[in-house]
Amino acid sequence: MEPQGQARKRPTIRDVAAAAGVSRGTVSRVINGGHWVSPGALAAVEEAIKTTGYSMNQHARSLATGRSNSVAFLLTEAQHLLFEDPNFSILLRGAAQALAARGMPLLLMVAGTPDEQKQVLDYVGAGHVDGVLLISSHAGSPVLRSLVRQEIPTIACGIPLGFESTVGHVAADDLGGGRRMTRHLLDTGRTRVATITGPLDTPGGRLRLEGYRTELGDAYDETLVAHGDYTRQGGTAAMRELLERRPDLDAVFVASDLMATGAMQVLRESGRRVPEDVAVGGFDDSGLAATLDPALTTMRQPFERISAEMVRLLLDVVDGADPATITLPTSLVVRDSA
C-alpha cells in the first residue's frame, strides 16, 4: 500500500517491458508504429500498456518519430462563417472526434485573408502539424498550391479543383444530389424551376449546377439561374435577382441551406407562399433545414462520415500511402417546403 499523500509513480517503458516480458527496445518499436515486431510481442506489449496504465509523453513521441502527432483543420473562408455556416462546425466536431479516438489533437486554423493564409502556411510549413484537413477550397487557391508545393500531407473536403490528381479528397455526390433535387421539384408538378448556385470556383457550386442542368436537359433556361456565395446574404440577393427577372418561377433549388434561409425570406416579403406558390429545395441538412418555417426539403450530406474518412485518408498519407479519393452518396430529405 502506498503511503498516504504519496502520488503513484507514473508507469515507464521499463514497467511495460517487465509486464510484457520483452525488451525496452521492443516496447519502443511498438509505441512508434509496431514495425519489426512479431504479432505475439505486439499483443503482449499492447496488453501491458493497458494493465500498467502507461501513457507516452507526446513531446517525447515527437522527438522519437520526427512528427508533431497533431493535425490541422484548415478553413479557407472568412472567420465569421465558422460560426454562421453549421456545415463547418459539424465537420470540425467529427474530425476532432475521429482524431481523439487515435489520441491526436486537432488544431483549428482559419485562413480567409492573405495575412491569415501566410501565417498559417508558415506555421504548417515549419512542421508543427503532420497534415492538413482542408475545408472549402476554391479553384486557384494559393493555400492549396502552397501545401502541394511544400509536400504537406493534405486531404480536401470536396474535389480540390486544379489538383484532382495530386491531392486526396472526400466529397459528397454533388452532381447526383443536384439532379435528385431538381427531379423532386419537377415531380411536384413545377415547370419553371430556378436555381441559386454556390460559388462557381468551388466543386459544390459547379457540380450542383451541372446536376440541375443535366436533369432539365433541353428545358434548361439561363434566365432561371442566379449565382450565390453560400451565405444567407448571397441567397437573399440571388432570390431578388431571380424574382425581378422571372417573376413566374414556381420552384427554386438553392445550393445550400444557409442560402435557402435568405431566399425564403425574400419570397415571404414578395407575398409568395412556400410551397403553395414557390417550392424550395436546399442542400446540406446540417440541422438548419429542420428549424425553418416551413421546414426545408433538402439533400443530406453525410457530414460525420465525411469527417471520419478525411481523417483516415490523411493519416494514411502521413504514413506514406498514396492519396485516395472517396465520393459519398447524398439522400433526399422531404419536408414541408417542397
Side-chain angles (χ1 to χ4, degrees), residues 187-253:
D187 286 346
T188 65
R190 314 301 166 126
T191 58
R192 296 174 299 280
V193 180
T195 190
I196 297 175
T197 77
L200 296 186
D201 63 348
T202 65
R206 293 184 185 183
L207 292 173
R208 293 169 201 176
L209 173 60
E210 183 179 341
Y212 164 86
R213 183 168 189 163
T214 299
E215 193 61 31
L216 287 174
D218 292 341
Y220 175 78
D221 184 345
E222 286 281 358
T223 66
L224 287 168
V225 178
H227 302 297
D229 60 1
Y230 287 147
T231 68
R232 188 188 312 265
Q233 294 79 8
T236 298
M239 193 70 248
R240 286 174 178 156
E241 176 187 336
L242 283 172
L243 289 178
E244 182 176 346
R245 190 193 310 148
R246 289 295 304 269
D248 61 331
L249 64 84
D250 58 9
V252 57
F253 163 39

Side-chain angles (χ1 to χ4, degrees), residues 132-135 137 141 143-171 310 313-314 317 321-326:
V132 172
L133 301 169
L134 185 64
I135 311 299
S137 174
S141 165
V143 173
L144 182 53
R145 188 182 307 114
S146 180
L147 292 172
V148 171
R149 186 178 66 250
Q150 296 183 71
E151 298 183 345
I152 295 169
T154 301
I155 294 294
C157 181
I159 299 172
L161 298 176
F163 295 91
E164 294 91 338
S165 61
T166 55
V167 176
H169 68 265
V170 180
M310 287 182 68
L313 293 187
L314 179 61
V317 173
D322 291 332
T325 65
I326 296 176

Side-chain angles (χ1 to χ4, degrees), residues 239-312:
M239 193 70 248
R240 286 174 178 156
E241 176 187 336
L242 283 172
L243 289 178
E244 182 176 346
R245 190 193 310 148
R246 289 295 304 269
D248 61 331
L249 64 84
D250 58 9
V252 57
F253 163 39
V254 189
S256 82
D257 293 350
L258 190 58
M259 288 196 298
T261 64
M264 289 171 68
Q265 178 182 348
V266 170
L267 289 170
R268 282 193 298 270
E269 292 172 350
S270 71
R272 290 168 171 83
R273 299 166 299 164
V274 176
E276 292 85 356
D277 301 320
V278 179
V280 179
F283 205 107
D284 290 330
D285 201 36
S286 55
L288 177 63
T291 70
L292 301 180
D293 183 20
L296 182 66
T297 291
T298 189
M299 296 303 302
R300 175 177 293 158
Q301 297 196 63
F303 288 110
E304 291 81 3
R305 189 175 173 198
I306 289 172
S307 293
E309 294 290 0
M310 287 182 68
V311 167
R312 182 178 67 82

